[in-house]
Amino acid sequence: MRTIGLSGAEWLAVLRIGLGLWWLESWRHKNKKDWFERGTGIGWAVGVADKHRWAFVRSGFGAVVTPRPKVMAYVVVYAELALGLGLTLGFLTPIALVGAIVLNLLYFLLMIHDWAEQGQNSMMVLISVVGLFGMSWQTWSLDEAWGLFL
């Protein structure tokens, strides 16, 4: 493989780190006090799910998220932090990439009506898939330093 400036593995690491920073920004910009104390994030998502065109999204969200808004607020916020740290540092990278795919697909399904969100989520899924199948943890990662997943 011919590349400019960096090796193919290094470019994949750049992509992985960029995705990790994107997740960290998603975590950073959330008002944690509002999410945890007032339930604003989950409350907003409940409103979106209640009006969703697909019954399986409405019923699934109603069964899993709506009954436990506080727990789900912590799950979402700390999942984004864990994904961001895992991908940026290259720690348990394949697990973080699969988690990123799952979380972005869930966001994609919930926000099916919002084209801006669809673009972001589809691009993050694409980057995650490329990072996973390109084994982006081979360079500039704790996984590589510790000999994990090689």
Side-chain angles (χ1 to χ4, degrees), residues 32-46 69-70 73:
K32 278 71 153 184
K33 184 175 182 175
D34 284 351
W35 268 72
F36 298 148
E37 292 177 14
R38 295 187 334 177
T40 56
I42 298 300
W44 169 83
V46 167
K70 276 216 182 272

Side-chain angles (χ1 to χ4, degrees), residues 52-107:
H52 206 282
R53 71 174 120 181
W54 296 332
F56 79 92
V57 173
R58 288 191 309 270
S59 62
F61 201 91
V64 176
V65 180
T66 304
R68 29 189 100 68
K70 276 216 182 272
V71 170
M72 295 311 294
Y74 280 93
V75 167
V76 168
V77 170
Y78 287 110
E80 290 183 355
L81 175 61
L83 292 173
L85 291 173
L87 294 170
T88 302
L89 299 174
F91 179 63
L92 302 176
T93 311
I95 296 165
L97 287 166
V98 169
I101 291 167
V102 169
L103 192 55
N104 276 123
L105 287 175
L106 288 170
Y107 289 172

